[in-house]
Amino acid sequence: MSVQIEAVRPATARRTPTHNLTRTSGIGLGVTMIWFSLLVLIPLAAVVATAAAGGWDGFWRAITNEQTAAAIRVTVTAAFAVTLVNIVIGTMISWVLVRDRFPGKGLLELVIDIPFALPTIVAGLVLLSLYGNDSPLGLHFANTKWSIYLAFLFVTLPFIVRTVQPVLEELDQEIEEAAASLGASRFTTFRRIILPALVPAIAAGAALSFARAVGEYGSLVLLSGNLPFESEVTSVRILSAIENDNRATAASIATLLLLISLLVIVVLDIVQRRVARRG
C-alpha cells in the first residue's frame, strides 16, 4: 500500500506552470496594459458611463430620436454595403497585385495607399471636385445619399487589399498545382485551398473597413451636405450633440456604434473560423 502511495505522489505532485513570464516579459506586459488602458479601455469606459448616467430611458430617447435614428440607419446601411463591395473588389485587387505582372504595377501599389495618407478633408475636396455640382464627368453625387457610399468606398479601399495581399503572397502555389494535377477545377481549388487561407485576412480587413466607415466624418463634410434624413451620418449627429452641450446624447450614439461594431467583429470572427474549419 505504501509503495502504491509513493508511486502516485510524483504524478499528483506534477503541476503545469500557469505562466512562463520572465521579469522582462512581465514589465513589457504591464507597460502594454497600461498603455492600452489609457488609450482604449478607460476612454471607452468613460463614454459608456456617460451614456449610462441618464439611465435606460435617456439612452433610448437619444438613439430613437427621429433624426438620429435616420442617421444611424443611413450610416450602418452604407457601411455594410461598402464592406461587402470591399470584400469582393479588395480581394480581386489583391489577387491582381500578387499573381499578375503588368506595366504600372508599382504605381498602382502606391496609389492604393493614398486613402491611408490623405487627410480626410482633402479626400472630400478631391471627391467634390470630381463628383460635385460642377463634375467634369457629369456625375453629380454631392448632397445626396450616394455621396456617403462614395466617400466610404474611398477611405476604406486599402484595408482588405493590405490584409489579404501578404497572406496571398505566402500561399504555396505548388499546392494549387498539385490540386489541379489531381483533377480539381479552378473553382474547387479556390474554394477548398485558397479561400480558407484568405478568410481570416478578409474578415480582419472587413472589420477594419466597417469600423472606419461607421466613424467617417472628414470626407463627408464637403461632399454630403449633411442633410437630415438624407445624407447626415452619425458622426455629424454626435458633433451636433456636443456643440449643443448634450454630452449624454453624444455618448449614447457613440455607445450604440461601439456595440454595433463589436457585434460585426464577433460575427466576422465566427464566420472566418467556420469557413477555415470546413476548408
Side-chain angles (χ1 to χ4, degrees):
M1 184 65 179
S2 61
V3 175
Q4 292 178 351
I5 293 176
E6 292 299 325
V8 171
R9 281 179 180 172
T12 58
R14 297 193 193 101
R15 295 186 181 275
T16 303
T18 57
H19 60 80
N20 59 351
L21 287 177
T22 62
R23 180 176 298 180
T24 303
S25 300
I27 294 173
L29 178 60
V31 171
T32 300
M33 293 306 300
I34 292 173
W35 189 258
F36 184 73
S37 298
L38 291 174
L39 292 180
V40 180
L41 294 181
I42 296 176
L44 287 179
V47 170
V48 174
T50 303
W56 172 254
D57 291 338
F59 176 81
W60 185 251
R61 283 196 303 270
I63 64 175
T64 56
N65 173 275
E66 189 176 4
Q67 187 173 344
T68 300
I72 293 172
R73 184 166 56 253
V74 168
T75 304
V76 174
T77 300
F80 269 120
V82 166
T83 299
L84 292 176
V85 172
N86 284 335
I87 288 174
V88 177
I89 302 300
T91 303
M92 291 176 59
I93 294 174
S94 300
W95 185 277
V96 169
L97 291 176
V98 173
R99 297 296 177 92
D100 297 330
R101 298 182 181 276
F102 53 89
K105 179 179 176 180
L107 178 61
L108 181 59
E109 288 268 13
L110 293 175
V111 171
I112 287 175
D113 289 330
I114 286 180
F116 276 149
L118 198 65
T120 54
I121 188 66
V122 178
L125 181 61
V126 170
L127 294 174
L128 183 64
S129 64
L130 193 59
Y131 300 106
N133 295 328
D134 299 324
S135 171
L137 303 178
L139 301 174
H140 308 291
F141 294 141
N143 303 326
T144 68
K145 65 178 181 179
W146 300 112
S147 63
I148 300 175
Y149 292 85
L150 185 63
F152 284 3
L153 285 170
F154 182 88
V155 299
T156 61
L157 171 65
F159 286 104
I160 290 182
V161 175
R162 290 314 187 197
T163 55
V164 171
Q165 188 176 354
V167 177
L168 195 56
E169 289 175 346
E170 294 297 323
L171 286 181
D172 190 354
Q173 296 190 37
E174 292 183 358
I175 300 177
E176 301 173 38
E177 295 171 358
S181 66
L182 294 174
S185 64
R186 290 186 177 181
F187 177 75
T188 300
T189 302
F190 178 80
R191 181 174 63 88
R192 299 299 300 273
I193 297 176
I194 301 175
L195 184 60
L198 296 182
V199 164
I202 294 174
L208 292 172
S209 175
F210 180 83
R212 180 70 173 84
V214 165
E216 179 56 24
Y217 173 76
S219 62
L220 293 169
V221 173
L222 301 177
L223 189 64
S224 70
N226 301 322
L227 303 177
F229 306 100
E230 180 68 22
S231 61
E232 186 180 40
V233 295
T234 50
S235 56
V236 174
R237 291 297 297 159
I238 292 173
L239 179 62
S240 298
I242 293 176
E243 290 177 342
N244 293 325
D245 198 25
N246 194 346
R247 295 183 179 274
T249 297
S252 298
I253 301 172
T255 300
L256 179 62
L257 294 182
L258 173 63
L259 294 175
I260 293 173
S261 298
L262 181 61
L263 177 62
V264 169
I265 292 173
V266 171
V267 170
L268 288 173
D269 183 68
I270 293 174
V271 169
Q272 68 93 359
R273 288 175 185 273
R274 290 186 175 180
V275 172
R277 191 182 303 120
R278 290 179 180 178

